[in-house]
Every structure is written in C-alpha cells, then in structure tokens.
Amino acid sequence: MNGIKMTFRPGAGARANQEHYLRALQEAIQITEKNLDLYVDAFPHVSRDHKYQPEENRLWTASFYPGMCCLAYEMTGEPKFLKNQDKILDSFEQRLQNRVHITHDLGFLYTLSCVSLYKLTGNQRAYQLANRAAAMLAERYHEKGSYIQAWGEMGIGYPDVKIIIDCMLNLPLLYWTGNETYENMAENHAKTAARYLIRSDYTSYHTYLMDPETGKGVCGKTHQGYADESTWARGQAWAVYGFALSYRYTVNPEFLKIAEKTAEVFIRNLPADSVPYWDFTFTDENPDIRDTSAGAIFACGLLELAKYVSREAAARYVNIAERVILSLSQSYTTRDLADSDGVLKEGMYHRDDGAGECVIWGDYFYMEALVRLVKDWDLYW
Ligand code: GLY
C-alpha cells in the first residue's frame, strides 16, 4: 500500500489528532485489504472469536465490506480495492433479480455497494442497480400510513407490520434518486418515524407496530434492545444520523431538531470512556457489554449534524465525536488480536447473538468517521 493520499478538512486547521486518525485509518485499510479476494459474493457479518465467516448475500449487512473498499480506494487511490467490483455487482444484481431477503434494508445494501461506486467512478451499472433497488424499496411504502414497512411480505397484517428506527439510514437511497415521488416517500416516512419512534423526551423506540388497515401506530416494541421502554443505543445512533441525513435532503427543521435532541440524549448516556453500553439501561455504575458500533454510528451522525448548526454547536459536536473515535481507536480495536479480520471489537448484534464481537457495520462506520475526521468527505448516503 502506498499510503493514504490526504485532503485535510478545509478550515479545520492543524488538528491535534490528525496523525492519530491517519494511523487508525491505515490500520483499518490494512484489515480491509486482507480478504479482498474472499469477500466477493459472500460477505462478513458478525464475527465468531473475532473472525468473520463469509455469509452469502442474503443479510442486511452485505454492503458494508464493499463500502469499506470504496473508502479504502478513496483514501489511497489504489485500484486493487475496486478490482472485484464487477463480481460484487453481479452478486448484488442477482440479489435483486431473485428478490433474496428483500426488506427495507435495500437502502443500506445498495447505497454502500452501488451509490458509493457510482459516486467514485461513475460506474453506470452500479447507477442502474441502485435505481432498481430504490424502486423496490418504494414498493414497501404504505400510502395510508405514510411509512416504509420494515420486514416481511407486503400485504401481511397486524401485528407483523413494523416501522423501525434503523430505516432512517435506508432513506438516503430514495432521496439520492432525485425522483420526486421517492423523495416524498422518504420524507413522509421520516415524519411518521418522528411521530411514533421518537418519544417525547427524545429517546427512541426500536420498533413500532403499525396497523396497515388504519395506517396508525399501535405501540412501541423492542427487537434488539433491553426492553420495550428502554433505549437501545444503536437505535438512538440510527436516529441521530438518520434524522441529520433527512435534514440534509429536505431542509425540514423538524428533522434537524430531532437529530439535535436525540444527540443530547446520546451524549448524556455516554459512559466515562465515551463508548456506549448496548442499551442506555446500563451505566458505569450498572455496566454491561458495550456496543462499539453504536459509538461509531453516533460519531458519524454528530459529524454530519455539525454541518447544519451554529459554529459553537458544531465545535462541540465535533469534539464529542472525536472523543468517541479516540476512545475506540485507543482501546477497542483488534490491534492486540493478530488473527482477527475485524477492525473494532466489542460490537454487538443481539444480546444473545454476536455480543462482544466484531460486527461489519461497526467497522464500516468507524472507518467512515475517521475519513470524515481527516477530509471533507463527499458522503455515499
Ligand atoms: N439494522 C439492524 C441493526 O442495527 O442491528
């Protein structure tokens, strides 16, 4: 590897921690390089003993490794990071063709595998696939209730229909198309999410049951959090980042307010070392395992949010994002685990599945946050 070609964030001045971020990024890029030829039509998901097993392209996580390759390519200019792009696109095309496990996660899947590639290289096949995926995501829009159904076949009834906070990161695929109908669907979904998934104190429900007959919300439920009424850390991170992104595309002030208020909840619940426990039920006085991926997503959210607030508020957000990323890079990487092919340890999928392990979305968002800290990043979302 020739090293990272840097464009420092304009106006950021001589940032004290730049060298540290660059070293951390270099480590993440080296790990990305390790399995370039292994993750081509099967992709990392959640590690076992800090090793990933390639999983066929049917999970919501298949695009995070291709997204890391795009970041690595962008930072180094080295073509090897995109050398398997045609085979990766074959895999993502087959997934659409065969409608393999189609959920609202089409946004995660095709933003980081296709929109990213299109933005970096102008790849037209990636552009077409991303647009096809957006059309399929739009099929999940429920007109009466103004929401995108998370999981399950369309046409099923209560109580199997849910909206979930994670979907906020699926909306950018719809906004990106520039198709007015899709943009409206995304904005309407964000309004519905604001109404039901964000509580009056700006904590969040993970999911909300919807009644497709009436289009109305029924009740909040958790899927991966500690309890229905608790606040799942990763869900709160999806809220901060997702509403900041919806604000970016719509300039709807309500979304900015929610991003800021949900960020304050997150900040209040950060432990002393700035890496969140997996649910805000847990604290330094009553600790449990962490979710490093929630910290990485939250840092990306703060760095996005910093673009839309006063100079003072922005400086505070950037400072907190740096605290999170510094802590992750100092104490939570796999540096001490020579055999690991993950970047961050102590991630968490479900409490009883993939707790304390590497999770590929944690690796991706950690890398994205580092890239955001060292350059003025043109985002894939
Ligand atoms: N989007 C699924 C998760 O955050 O685990």
Side-chain angles (χ1 to χ4, degrees):
M1 187 157 53
N2 296 330
I4 299 175
K5 294 190 184 68
M6 289 302 318
T7 330
F8 283 92
R9 284 156 63 84
R15 300 170 71 83
N17 297 314
Q18 290 287 353
E19 282 303 314
H20 178 89
Y21 299 142
L22 282 175
R23 267 197 310 278
L25 203 43
Q26 193 95 35
E27 283 171 0
I29 291 172
Q30 267 155 4
I31 290 173
T32 306
E33 191 178 352
K34 225 168 153 178
N35 290 314
L36 272 175
D37 291 325
L38 186 62
Y39 305 146
V40 173
D41 56 7
F43 300 97
H45 173 57
V46 173
S47 71
R48 251 179 273 142
D49 297 327
H50 303 99
K51 296 278 294 172
Y52 289 125
Q53 286 75 43
E55 308 264 357
E56 64 183 278
N57 191 345
R58 55 174 301 283
L59 303 173
W60 69 280
T61 48
S63 60
F64 290 106
Y65 181 74
M68 288 166 71
C69 290
C70 285
L71 291 174
Y73 171 75
E74 195 177 334
M75 295 309 299
T76 63
E78 291 193 29
K80 68 179 160 207
F81 288 107
L82 298 186
K83 69 180 177 161
N84 291 318
Q85 62 181 355
D86 289 337
K87 288 185 199 144
I88 291 176
L89 290 183
D90 286 346
S91 168
F92 278 84
E93 182 165 2
Q94 269 168 29
R95 182 160 181 174
L96 281 186
Q97 202 75 37
N98 301 331
R99 298 188 75 100
V100 177
H101 199 64
I102 295 300
T103 68
H104 68 152
D105 288 324
L106 284 160
F108 280 110
L109 289 166
Y110 288 83
T111 299
L112 295 182
S113 61
C114 293
V115 177
S116 53
L117 193 59
Y118 168 67
K119 285 189 174 173
L120 291 180
T121 67
N123 185 309
Q124 285 303 307
R125 188 173 167 216
Y127 177 83
Q128 302 294 345
L129 284 174
N131 274 287
R132 276 175 61 191
M136 217 178 258
L137 178 56
E139 290 170 14
R140 302 188 67 79
Y141 184 72
H142 190 281
E143 199 68 50
K144 194 169 184 182
S146 302
Y147 61 83
I148 293 167
Q149 181 177 318
W151 303 313
E153 290 302 315
M154 297 303 286
I156 53 172
Y158 175 82
D160 295 317
V161 177
K162 292 182 178 72
I163 55 172
I164 81 170
I165 193 66
D166 322 27
C167 188
M168 295 305 298
L169 269 283
N170 289 319
L171 303 181
L173 181 67
L174 297 177
Y175 292 127
W176 165 79
T177 61
N179 174 320
E180 205 179 319
T181 307
Y182 296 172
E183 288 170 329
N184 287 337
M185 287 175 177
E187 182 168 3
N188 290 342
H189 177 91
K191 287 180 185 163
T192 306
R195 177 169 173 201
Y196 292 119
L197 291 168
I198 305 301
R199 303 185 184 109
S200 57
D201 62 358
Y202 293 94
T203 62
S204 52
Y205 285 112
H206 182 192
T207 86
Y208 215 91
L209 299 195
M210 303 299 292
D211 181 347
E213 288 291 311
T214 62
K216 297 235 169 6
V218 181
C219 63
K221 278 249 173 270
T222 199
H223 182 66
Q224 281 153 278
Y226 178 75
D228 289 342
E229 294 301 325
S230 73
T231 301
W232 177 49
R234 193 157 70 249
Q236 192 77 10
W238 294 137
V240 175
Y241 196 6
F243 279 101
L245 288 169
S246 267
Y247 178 72
R248 176 189 180 90
Y249 285 103
T250 63
V251 201
N252 180 333
E254 178 63 10
F255 299 158
L256 181 60
K257 182 176 167 191
I258 293 175
E260 290 185 88
K261 297 276 192 187
T262 52
E264 291 308 322
V265 170
F266 208 109
I267 293 165
R268 275 204 305 278
N269 283 280
L270 280 175
D273 79 351
S274 301
V275 175
Y277 294 103
W278 67 283
D279 191 286
F280 292 162
T281 304
F282 301 103
T283 61
D284 283 341
E285 291 70 43
N286 172 34
D288 202 78
I289 56 178
R290 313 262 174 179
D291 178 7
T292 52
S293 75
I297 296 161
F298 174 58
C300 291
L302 281 183
L303 293 171
E304 184 62 23
L305 191 50
K307 297 175 185 170
Y308 312 117
V309 294
S310 70
R311 192 186 270 260
E312 271 173 18
R316 176 170 168 263
Y317 288 153
V318 172
N319 189 275
I320 296 166
E322 290 199 63
R323 256 173 36 210
V324 175
I325 295 301
L326 278 173
S327 185
L328 288 174
S329 60
Q330 282 161 351
S331 311
Y332 291 91
T333 72
T334 55
R335 208 170 290 135
D336 56 338
L337 301 167
D339 280 350
S340 177
D341 43 23
V343 179
L344 281 187
K345 53 191 186 185
E346 299 195 43
M348 138 93 121
Y349 189 24
H350 291 259
R351 183 67 183 86
D352 52 5
D353 171 17
E357 287 286 341
C358 307
V359 296
I360 195 64
W361 59 92
D363 295 353
Y364 169 80
F365 283 105
Y366 171 67
M367 236 173 129
E368 182 189 302
L370 287 166
V371 170
R372 281 174 172 275
L373 284 168
V374 298
K375 77 181 274 223
D376 194 15
W377 186 56
D378 188 8
L379 61 176
Y380 305 153
W381 303 102

